[in-house]
Amino acid sequence: MENLSILTHLDYTLMIVAIGAALLGAVSGALGSYAVLRRQSLLGDAISHAALPGIAIAFLLTGSKTPLILVLGAAIAGWLGTLLILSIVRLTRIKYDSALGIVLSTFFGFGLVLHTLIQRTGNANQAGLDTFLFGQAATMLARDVLTIGILGGIALTVMLVFWKELKLLVFDEGFAASIGFPIRTLDILLTSLLVVAIVLGLQAVGAVLMSAMLVAPAVAARQWTDRLRLMVFLAACFGALAGVSGTIISSTASRIPTGPTIVLCATVVVGLSIAFAPNRGLVWDRIRQQRNRRNLKMETSRY
Amino acid sequence: MLQGHLDILLIAIVTAVACALPGVFLVLRRMTLMSDAISHAILPGIVVAFFLTESLSSPLLILAAAGTGVLTVLFVELLQRTKLVKEDAAIGLTFPALFSIGVILISRFAGNVHLDMDAVLLGELAYAPLNRLKIFGSDLGPVSLYVMGTIFVLNLVFILLFYKELKLVTFDASLAAALGFVPTVIHYGLMTLVSVTTVGAFDAVGSILVVALIAGPPATAYLMTDRLSRMLIFSAIIGSVNAVTGYWVAFLFDVSIAGSIATMTLIIFVLIFFVVPNRGLIAIARRHARQKWEFAQTMLVIHLLNHEGLPEAETESAIADLHEHLSWDPGFTTQVVKYALNNRCVSREETQLILTEQGRTIAQQALVE
Amino acid sequence: MQGAEQKAIQVTDLTVAYQDKPVLWDIDLDVPPGVLLSIVGPNGAGKTTLIKAILGLVRPAAGNVLIYDKPYEAQRGIVGYVPQRGSVDWDFPTNVLDVVMMGRYGALGWIRRPRKKERELAMQALEKVGMEAYTTRQISQLSGGQQQRVFLARALVQDATVYLMDEPFQGVDATTERAIVTLLQELRADGKTVVVVHHDLQTVTDYFDWVMLLNIRRIASGPVDEIFTSDNLRETYGGRVAFMK
């Protein structure tokens, strides 16, 4: 009897974690689609690393470890990092990739400095940093899942409400401006949605692997469809699938960290999509080439 | 104690310079993020080699990791070549996957190995001097100083030997190919160096902050000079300055050395970004302020020249109407007219503004340029 | 003004500078309604910048632009725009019909989605450019000429009075070029004003009735037979032009 209750308790924990991971996967998959289409796949990497000093400062200022406050700090720092990247690109001849690399690494370094300061005051322990780097999907509570659900739901709703505007912004900025849409504002909106997805995802997979959660589901989804609507939907599904399967796999054996497993699951989905997706996939492409060659041979042999 | 400081400082400087040199070519070739990818993706290579050698600084480990780094580059390029994935997404897919494999390997076998995730990601310079190179019982200094020193010499020799080729491949890959310098060979040579350098720097600063050492000094130097040779020298100097000041700040506040070096990298970058002559933000703002009147005056004389002798000239050059034609603020227009009058570019004839010879010359010159 | 007849586009003393470099100096241009005008000039003459300045996409250092006597912001609804084909990523996951419907987004305003009416308008426009068979085709699978036709169709559903087109003949096949010319001439016959950035000096006299010669400043503008002279061309191209009448 006692055994049984432990079992159901475990299942309950696992279910909570799986739901949380699925929600995070869906949100980051859907919003990551836009980042991939704008060729800003690595912006997520920069934002997630740049969030560290924000979390540290939020903690230093408030002394609180309330997730919402830390998330707010992370979001602000991530935003500032993005702004700095854009200013460097606009005002100097340094290119996007270098600006991104500098902001990513130096913000993170600054966060590390702040972290050692906090550690010295004895308020926190090393675990805080590890959580930030690798996430702690396995310890997600129902309360965390609720936060993810609400914030992620808001982000996705905003995305759906401004669907037409965001699509036009990503496809043809100049035309969007010519018919009167404020592209600067829309750009800020889209980046903010991305920041929300990232700071939520930090909890599950951590800063280092966050970019994969944005990029992998979107790249996989792109192979299956030529419509944005379906791509975003599929990316959300793939993200959720990776979240759930990663959680379950990592729970089957001891000492398999959840975050990296989720990322590997997403990578497998990408691999399968690139290989087997109809029309675009590599296998499909090979078959088509062979068929063409055969047809060509038949035609030439006829004469 | 003093010896310990000196050791750390030396390691920091050698590491910074060793990273900054190949970094120049990455920044110029828009491949900075490849170094980010490499520094993460080599983790599984390091782990596997560590299982075999049980040492973080054995040559085999460096070779294995460097091999993984080159494979990463190759894999990213293959993905791109399918045309199904763009470059940025290919990088964003590859390194987290490889890194994840590394993390899982470490945590699966964590009991058996002394490979700490924090050491890999963050490094710890303070511990670097503890591992000493001893031959016949005599202490020759910290091992990592020798490792990084060797890598630094390797980078320097490569760049000196292939300077011409690197320059050509960086600025005009197709010309380089036409002249018979196989760009792929130079490219992979450079990527191998970056991988080796990254592995070496791992110990000291970890995989995330390596990017600060690789991209920071060259980008800062790029704000200061146009010439490749100077950019290399400036990068090396800036790298050393970042390392020294970073170490000093870390010592002062007792915080992470690597983090502090990265922070100094950002501060010095932003500082240069503002103050560098000619290209800095301050210089640009001052030039703007200076040129604002000059530019407005040129617009004015060109406007007068364009309508000179035409039927509409009377309204176009009426002082009272000028602001309407140019859509300028009336106050601004009055000031520009005053400025131009002072410079004898225009003269006033009743309500009209008339070009002087000097004004005409300025307008014509501006149009020819 | 002195009671002159209405202008479709009126550019007055327009100067545009990127950072400190002027790209257009004191441009004046009057386009009467119902003309087919080509903007011609060497590379870097500021042709695209002029179009963008008319559309309010770049801020001028001096001067202003009026569309039927009102600033652009008030007249967005009657202006159609065809950007350069190379300015967008054609691998974007969308199909032909969807791109054309984007031409209605301005009229739809915020949040409202395109419906049956928009779809019908888009279909009509696609028929006009001869692309009705390609509605569900992914845009990356189109040829350069077909992509250009899609962009034209998108401008057509804007149902504008004034059209601004940036190099619509760039990289298109001969059939498409003829089809586009026919279309432009139909638009003019309907009383629309069409401004086209154009590269090919050989075809200016055949395709257009008005021309503007531009090289950072306006060299000349007006009816083709008055303006398109070897003297003016030499002044525009600095003697580097091989083509002479």
Side-chain angles (χ1 to χ4, degrees):
Chain A
M1 201 57 207
E2 213 165 44
N3 273 343
L4 196 67
S5 80
I6 288 176
L7 201 66
T8 48
H9 176 69
L10 267 180
D11 279 351
Y12 175 73
T13 320
L14 184 63
M15 198 179 73
I16 291 291
V17 173
I19 291 174
L23 283 175
L24 283 174
V27 173
S28 50
L31 291 167
S33 302
Y34 290 95
V36 169
L37 289 174
R38 302 184 91 189
R39 305 194 185 186
Q40 292 182 337
S41 299
L42 295 164
L43 184 61
D45 200 28
I47 294 176
S48 58
H49 283 79
L52 180 59
I55 295 174
I57 289 174
F59 177 73
L60 279 173
L61 287 181
T62 64
S64 135
K65 274 189 164 180
T66 320
L68 210 58
I69 289 174
L70 300 188
V71 160
L72 197 67
I76 292 172
W79 236 112
L80 282 178
T82 314
L83 207 67
L84 184 59
I85 293 171
L86 296 180
S87 323
I88 291 174
V89 173
R90 208 159 51 83
L91 296 171
T92 75
R93 51 188 179 158
I94 290 170
K95 305 296 179 303
Y96 186 70
D97 65 311
S98 298
L100 210 144
I102 289 174
V103 168
L104 179 160
S105 55
T106 57
F107 268 54
F108 182 80
F110 182 53
L112 209 57
V113 167
L114 292 176
H115 180 77
T116 41
L117 267 182
I118 294 173
Q119 255 185 316
R120 244 178 342 115
T121 59
N123 257 329
N125 47 17
Q126 192 65 26
L129 190 61
D130 279 349
T131 305
F132 175 77
L133 289 172
F134 299 110
Q136 48 172 8
T139 62
M140 237 187 281
L141 301 173
R143 193 185 52 196
D144 301 325
V145 175
L146 197 67
T147 315
I148 295 168
I150 292 172
L151 286 177
I154 292 175
L156 288 186
T157 310
V158 171
M159 177 195 85
L160 288 174
V161 167
F162 296 104
W163 179 266
K164 170 178 110 234
E165 289 76 13
L166 294 176
K167 177 167 79 174
L168 190 58
L169 172 80
V170 176
F171 176 61
D172 194 344
E173 214 178 82
F175 187 76
S178 85
I179 57 177
F181 289 110
I183 49 173
R184 186 76 50 89
T185 314
L186 284 171
D187 198 359
I188 292 173
L189 178 72
L190 190 51
T191 309
S192 305
L193 294 180
L194 200 64
V195 169
V196 171
I198 289 166
V199 293
L200 290 179
L202 282 178
Q203 292 184 54
V205 294
V208 183
L209 297 174
M210 189 53 220
S211 66
M213 290 308 291
L214 295 169
V215 179
V219 169
R222 178 68 187 89
Q223 313 309 324
W224 297 91
T225 173
D226 279 333
R227 298 305 305 272
L228 181 66
R229 213 181 311 163
L230 216 54
M231 177 181 168
V232 171
F233 176 72
L234 278 178
C237 294
F238 288 154
L241 179 72
V244 172
S245 51
T247 312
I248 292 173
I249 291 172
S250 75
S251 73
T252 54
S254 63
R255 293 205 307 229
I256 299 184
T258 316
T261 314
I262 294 177
V263 169
L264 282 184
C265 287
T267 311
V268 169
V269 177
V270 174
L272 293 176
S273 304
I274 286 181
F276 299 115
N279 288 323
R280 278 172 74 105
L282 294 178
V283 173
W284 191 274
D285 204 43
R286 181 62 57 83
I287 294 172
R288 190 164 37 203
Q289 272 174 18
Q290 268 169 7
R291 197 188 303 145
N292 285 348
R293 215 172 295 146
R294 213 176 306 133
N295 288 349
L296 202 67
K297 253 185 214 151
M298 269 160 65
E299 260 168 48
T300 44
S301 64
R302 228 186 292 161
Y303 297 103
Chain B
M1 188 60 206
L2 193 65
Q3 182 60 40
H5 284 304
L6 203 63
D7 280 345
I8 295 175
L9 203 53
L10 269 177
I11 296 171
I13 293 173
V14 173
T15 309
V17 177
C19 287
L21 291 180
V24 167
F25 297 98
L26 290 184
V27 167
L28 288 175
R29 301 182 65 197
R30 309 185 183 188
M31 294 182 63
T32 312
L33 295 170
M34 203 60 112
S35 70
D36 187 32
I38 290 175
S39 71
H40 285 86
I42 54 183
L43 184 62
I46 290 184
V47 176
V48 171
F50 187 79
F51 287 159
L52 299 175
T53 64
E54 304 222 324
S55 145
L56 256 179
S57 50
S58 98
L60 180 68
L61 184 128
I62 291 184
L63 281 182
T68 324
V70 176
L71 276 180
T72 310
V73 177
L74 197 70
F75 195 70
V76 168
E77 281 168 9
L78 277 178
L79 256 183
Q80 245 178 289
R81 213 164 296 163
T82 62
K83 297 231 168 80
L84 299 177
V85 183
K86 305 250 169 13
E87 187 192 9
D88 60 325
I91 293 178
L93 282 173
T94 308
F95 83 83
L98 286 167
F99 189 79
S100 296
I101 294 175
V103 175
I104 291 176
L105 282 178
I106 289 180
S107 45
R108 275 302 274 171
F109 306 103
N112 311 332
V113 291
H114 298 282
L115 186 57
D116 186 1
M117 259 334 287
D118 289 336
V120 172
L121 269 180
L122 313 173
E124 190 40 88
L125 254 175
Y127 302 145
L130 299 182
N131 188 4
R132 322 281 306 179
L133 183 69
K134 286 192 180 128
I135 294 176
F136 303 124
S138 60
D139 185 353
L140 295 178
V143 173
S144 35
L145 187 58
Y146 285 94
V147 173
M148 275 328 287
T150 313
I151 293 172
F152 163 67
V153 172
L154 208 65
N155 286 347
L156 191 65
V157 168
F158 180 82
I159 289 171
L160 288 178
L161 273 181
F162 299 106
Y163 184 74
K164 190 174 74 233
E165 288 80 0
L166 277 167
K167 193 172 174 175
L168 204 56
V169 169
T170 302
F171 293 107
D172 193 345
S174 47
L175 178 66
L179 291 176
F181 302 114
V182 191
T184 336
V185 174
I186 296 288
H187 173 64
Y188 277 96
L190 186 64
M191 287 301 130
T192 312
L193 276 193
V194 172
S195 302
V196 171
T197 312
T198 310
V199 189
F202 236 80
D203 229 6
V205 293
S207 64
I208 297 174
L209 300 178
V210 165
V211 183
L213 295 190
I214 288 181
T220 315
Y222 196 30
L223 293 173
M224 302 163 72
T225 176
D226 285 321
R227 300 203 26 197
L228 180 60
S229 51
R230 282 200 198 135
M231 198 173 148
L232 281 163
I233 294 167
F234 286 177
S235 297
I237 295 172
I238 293 165
S240 320
V241 172
N242 293 343
V244 174
T245 50
Y247 179 66
W248 179 64
V249 170
F251 177 69
L252 226 56
F253 295 97
D254 187 20
V255 289
S256 150
I257 302 171
S260 171
I261 293 177
T263 310
M264 283 318 294
T265 306
L266 180 64
I267 291 174
I268 287 178
F269 173 79
V270 172
L271 207 68
I272 299 277
F273 177 24
F274 274 97
V275 303
V276 70
N278 295 322
R279 289 201 198 86
L281 277 191
I282 294 174
I284 290 173
R286 283 169 80 172
R287 193 167 50 220
H288 260 294
R290 200 162 356 106
Q291 286 180 348
K292 185 176 153 199
W293 299 107
E294 203 111 327
F295 186 59
Q297 172 182 295
T298 315
M299 281 194 265
L300 178 68
V301 291
I302 288 179
H303 174 71
L304 294 174
L305 180 73
N306 265 355
H307 299 283
E308 209 173 34
L310 293 173
E312 76 268 15
E314 203 172 316
T315 58
E316 295 281 351
S317 53
I319 297 174
D321 296 343
L322 266 176
H323 69 272
E324 256 173 48
H325 288 281
L326 295 164
S327 295
W328 282 348
D329 172 73
F332 178 70
T333 315
T334 318
Q335 276 179 298
V336 175
V337 170
K338 206 183 283 170
Y339 183 81
L341 282 168
N342 278 343
N343 287 341
R344 296 176 199 288
C345 290
V346 293
S347 61
R348 194 195 292 252
E349 264 175 38
E350 293 172 26
T351 59
Q352 303 283 301
L353 216 51
I354 306 291
L355 267 183
T356 61
E357 268 320 300
Q358 193 182 341
R360 189 168 329 223
T361 322
I362 289 177
Q364 279 159 350
Q365 265 172 2
L367 286 175
V368 171
E369 265 168 19
Chain C
M1 305 302 289
Q2 315 90 327
E5 75 274 35
Q6 204 175 30
K7 307 281 193 323
I9 302 174
Q10 186 175 36
V11 178
T12 337
D13 303 311
L14 182 79
T15 296
V16 177
Y18 286 138
Q19 267 118 36
D20 294 335
K21 276 246 179 318
V23 250
L24 291 173
W25 271 127
D26 202 62
I27 302 292
D28 287 284
L29 174 67
D30 287 345
V31 186
V35 303
L36 189 47
L37 170 112
S38 68
I39 302 177
V40 174
N43 284 331
K47 302 185 293 281
T48 296
T49 306
L50 178 56
I51 295 269
K52 286 190 171 164
I54 295 174
L55 287 163
L57 301 182
V58 293
R59 260 186 59 189
N64 69 23
V65 176
L66 297 176
I67 314 266
Y68 281 105
D69 297 334
K70 285 187 196 138
Y72 179 75
E73 287 72 34
Q75 301 284 47
R76 263 191 199 114
I78 63 160
V79 180
Y81 172 42
V82 178
Q84 272 183 32
R85 185 162 56 89
S87 65
V88 305
D89 174 13
W90 289 92
D91 199 31
F92 189 85
T94 187
N95 64 21
V96 168
L97 187 67
D98 205 37
V99 172
V100 177
M101 281 199 292
M102 288 178 187
R104 296 305 302 164
Y105 282 12
L108 281 169
W110 286 92
I111 299 170
R112 274 175 54 205
R113 300 294 164 84
R115 297 189 181 282
K116 203 167 149 223
K117 180 183 150 219
E118 280 72 30
R119 187 177 296 266
E120 277 164 12
L121 287 169
M123 283 305 297
Q124 287 167 14
L126 280 169
E127 271 167 41
K128 268 191 209 147
V129 298
M131 289 286 292
E132 65 275 19
Y134 295 88
T135 46
T136 57
R137 190 71 73 91
Q138 144 72 18
I139 53 174
S140 68
Q141 291 162 10
L142 302 174
S143 72
Q146 290 170 331
Q147 290 175 346
Q148 196 65 64
R149 289 178 192 219
V150 172
F151 259 16
L152 274 170
R154 181 176 71 174
L156 289 180
V157 299
Q158 287 188 273
D159 193 23
T161 318
V162 175
Y163 285 96
L164 299 164
M165 307 185 179
D166 202 347
E167 306 222 13
F169 297 109
Q170 173 93 83
V172 305
D173 51 291
T175 331
T176 304
E177 180 153 340
R178 266 196 306 279
I180 294 177
V181 171
T182 316
L183 192 74
L184 297 183
Q185 285 165 350
E186 277 171 28
L187 284 173
R188 181 189 47 191
D190 286 348
K192 320 268 188 190
T193 310
V194 185
V195 176
V196 175
V197 171
H198 193 50
H199 247 128
D200 184 9
L201 292 178
Q202 316 279 350
T203 52
V204 170
T205 39
D206 295 339
Y207 292 174
F208 300 97
D209 47 10
W210 275 50
V211 66
M212 174 196 199
L213 295 170
L214 180 73
N215 190 357
I216 304 194
R217 68 197 174 96
R218 185 194 60 166
I219 309 296
S221 65
V224 171
D225 36 357
E226 286 171 31
I227 298 301
F228 205 63
T229 63
S230 21
D231 281 350
N232 279 340
L233 279 172
R234 201 171 297 124
E235 207 185 332
T236 315
Y237 286 85
R240 279 177 289 118
V241 64
F243 162 84
M244 285 294 135
K245 279 208 214 174

